[in-house]
């Protein structure tokens, strides 16, 4: 087999090699049907079993909390930025948002088009390099929900814990760190995530929500944009992204094999620790961007002394087989996305390269 790239792309991102190989083996003939899973009816028994298995496997990883339902939707987390307030930000209510960076800002911008919003806390003054303290966050009586972005892929910050919002539903965009560590799902009314970072390929978005939040969508909404449409039809109201959902199911199996969320978290922390230690031990040659207490274990952002040196680093790294180390165009710098499927060996190869680069240019 040809050598695999050291893939640090921010999304679509690395998928587990074992999953790709299993999908390859089943690609043309799925379980003796004489068809690929991509070719069969989404109303047929064979596909429906895969669909239902993916949903139950996902809830199982969170300990099967009672009263939650999984939806498989399309349009990415970006569509959820609008769909969420369309369904939950009803007349007379206001929606709280925590402003932590690029993705939180996009969610706020969409919600403002739908209804009344307020910023409950912000780290804008800190150029979004930290996560605001939410221990004392106060919400008005008419709050529809409080929305947080669990991990900011562009800035490289991540929530280490979540606030208790009492009777107000806590909602999170978890696109970039869902399933990277255990968390208490029952703290949340609803979480959503585009699949293409930790869950599978692009094309499917997962919503996990308390059933009562999916029941009474406003009647004036177009059918497809109502949560209750998808909840009542088991996400089969229209043709789902069936191949992407099949791949999510395979990734979930792989996560179980890694020791579920506890096992995955241990591996993710080992990778992140190795990378951050290399940055911190470089005597300032490499500089971490995010506040240390708020550093993401998924997206490691760092800088060098000059943009010239950063360009040289990217160019040389690409010649050595490293992919995706350029920071997001909005902030520059460097970024290594080390999602679940990025192996420890890739991170070790990167830190070895960084050490050599420093020796040559320090």
């Amino acid at each position: 087999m040809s050598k695999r790239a050291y893939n640090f792309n921010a999304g679509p991102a690395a998928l587990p090699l074992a999953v790709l190989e299993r999908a390859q083996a089943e690609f043309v003939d799925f379980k003796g049907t004489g068809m690929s899973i991509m070719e069969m009816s989404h109303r047929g028994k064979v596909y429906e079993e895969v669909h239902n298995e993916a949903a139950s496997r996902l809830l199982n990883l969170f300990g099967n909390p009672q009263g939650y339902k999984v939806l498989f939707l399309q349009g990415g987390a970006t569509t959820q930025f609008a769909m969420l307030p369309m369904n939950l930000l009803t007349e007379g209510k206001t929606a709280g948002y925590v402003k932590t960076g690029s993705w939180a800002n996009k969610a706020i911008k969409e919600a403002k088009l739908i209804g009344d919003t307020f910023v409950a806390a912000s780290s804008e003054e800190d150029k979004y390099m930290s996560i605001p303290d939410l221990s004392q966050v106060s919400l008005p009586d008419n709050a529809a929900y409080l929305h947080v972005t669990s991990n900011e892929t562009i800035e490289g910050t991540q929530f280490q814990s979540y606030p208790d919002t009492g009777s107000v539903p806590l909602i999170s965009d978890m696109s970039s760190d869902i399933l990277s560590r255990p968390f208490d799902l029952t703290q949340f009314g609803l979480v959503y995530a585009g699949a293409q970072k930790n869950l599978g390929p692009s094309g499917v978005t997962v919503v996990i929500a308390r059933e009562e939040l999916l029941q009474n969508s406003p009647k004036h909404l177009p059918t497809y944009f109502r949560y209750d449409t998808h909840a009542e039809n088991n996400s089969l109201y229209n043709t789902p992204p069936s191949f992407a959902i099949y791949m999510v199911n395979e990734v979930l199996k792989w996560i179980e094999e890694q020791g579920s969320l506890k096992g995955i978290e241990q591996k993710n922390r080992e990778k992140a620790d190795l990378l951050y230690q290399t940055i911190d031990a470089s005597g300032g040659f490499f500089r971490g961007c995010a506040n240390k207490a708020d550093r993401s274990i998924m997206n490691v952002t760092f800088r060098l002394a000059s943009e010239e040196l950063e360009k040289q680093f990217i160019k040389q790294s690409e010649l050595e087989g490293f992919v995706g180390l350029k920071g997001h165009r909005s902030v520059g710098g460097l970024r290594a996305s080390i999602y679940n499927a990025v192996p420890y060996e890739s991170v070790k190869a990167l830190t070895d390269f960084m050490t050599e680069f420093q020796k040559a240019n320090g």
Side-chain angles (χ1 to χ4, degrees):
M1 192 186 140
S2 60
K3 186 175 180 282
R4 299 268 293 158
Y6 298 124
N7 185 354
F8 294 98
N9 276 326
L15 283 160
L17 180 58
V19 169
L20 293 171
E21 287 171 344
R22 274 181 227 168
Q24 184 180 37
E26 294 183 329
F27 193 72
V28 173
D29 182 3
F30 183 70
K31 297 193 171 167
T33 57
M35 290 181 282
S36 171
I37 189 100
M38 286 199 283
E39 300 178 286
M40 41 182 87
S41 167
H42 62 291
R43 305 281 176 208
K45 185 172 178 282
V46 177
Y47 171 73
E48 204 156 349
E49 270 174 20
V50 171
H51 185 94
N52 293 337
E53 196 180 292
S56 63
R57 192 167 253 128
L58 186 53
L59 284 177
N60 195 40
L61 282 166
F62 294 113
N64 280 320
Q66 288 307 298
Y68 282 79
K69 195 170 178 70
V70 172
L71 304 181
F72 294 120
L73 304 177
Q74 294 173 74
T78 304
T79 296
Q80 291 310 306
F81 294 161
M83 199 162 161
L84 172 74
M86 284 164 89
N87 281 268
L88 302 185
L89 180 49
T90 48
E91 190 92 12
K93 295 265 189 185
T94 182
Y97 281 78
V98 181
K99 206 173 176 184
T100 46
S102 310
W103 293 108
N105 283 333
K106 287 187 172 174
I108 293 166
K109 191 178 163 194
E110 293 299 296
K112 281 181 172 171
L113 299 172
I114 311 295
D116 189 27
T117 63
F118 67 97
V119 173
S122 171
S123 56
E124 189 172 7
E125 278 184 11
D126 193 18
K127 294 195 166 77
Y128 302 124
M129 288 302 140
S130 63
I131 294 289
D133 175 18
L134 297 183
S135 57
Q136 304 298 317
V137 71
S138 72
L139 301 170
D141 292 341
N142 68 337
Y145 55 80
L146 178 69
H147 181 284
V148 296
T149 306
S150 61
N151 183 81
E152 286 281 5
T153 46
I154 292 174
E155 289 79 11
T157 59
Q158 185 176 31
F159 275 86
Q160 309 303 319
S161 62
Y162 296 103
D164 178 1
T165 52
S167 60
V168 175
L170 178 62
I171 286 172
S172 183
D173 170 7
M174 290 195 170
S175 294
S176 50
D177 71 344
I178 194 167
L179 301 183
S180 66
R181 56 184 180 173
F183 71 90
D184 181 5
L185 184 60
T186 62
Q187 256 196 288
F188 294 86
L190 182 152
V191 301
Y192 62 93
Q196 66 276 10
K197 298 173 193 290
N198 259 349
L199 278 168
S202 57
V204 63
T205 304
V206 169
V207 172
I208 314 169
R210 283 208 298 265
E211 286 177 20
E212 67 265 22
L213 294 180
L214 300 174
Q215 278 163 358
N216 299 311
S217 302
K219 301 286 181 276
H220 68 269
L221 291 181
T223 311
Y224 189 84
F225 294 109
R226 299 165 53 133
Y227 283 142
D228 57 11
T229 298
H230 302 287
E232 284 160 18
N233 291 280
N234 189 26
S235 306
L236 294 163
Y237 172 74
N238 68 331
T239 309
S242 52
F243 185 73
I245 294 166
Y246 154 78
M247 287 293 285
V248 166
N249 190 37
E250 292 303 316
V251 170
L252 297 175
K253 283 183 201 170
W254 176 82
I255 289 173
E256 290 168 354
E257 290 157 10
Q258 308 310 303
S260 292
L261 297 186
K262 274 193 174 148
I264 278 284
E265 178 180 36
Q266 192 184 339
K267 291 179 176 175
N268 286 332
R269 292 208 181 273
E270 282 167 9
K271 293 184 300 191
D273 288 348
L274 176 64
L275 194 40
Y276 284 122
Q277 277 161 13
T278 304
I279 291 166
D280 294 341
S282 72
F285 183 80
F286 297 106
R287 298 190 321 277
C289 298
N291 177 27
K292 280 188 182 179
D294 303 311
R295 281 173 163 176
S296 168
I297 60 168
M298 294 281 98
N299 309 96
V300 178
T301 51
F302 56 104
R303 306 286 321 222
L304 287 168
S306 68
E307 285 190 23
E308 280 315 301
L309 205 52
E310 287 171 352
K311 279 180 187 155
Q312 194 186 326
F313 180 91
I314 290 157
K315 197 175 171 184
Q316 243 172 284
S317 70
E318 285 171 353
L319 294 172
E320 300 276 339
F322 294 94
V323 177
L325 290 171
K326 198 175 176 182
H328 191 272
R329 61 186 181 277
S330 64
V331 293
L334 304 159
R335 168 176 61 173
S337 295
I338 50 173
Y339 301 123
N340 289 355
V342 174
Y344 183 86
E345 295 71 33
S346 292
V347 180
K348 179 73 175 81
L350 174 59
T351 57
D352 290 348
F353 170 77
M354 288 165 74
T355 306
E356 288 304 312
F357 187 85
Q358 182 175 355
K359 272 185 198 158
N361 299 279

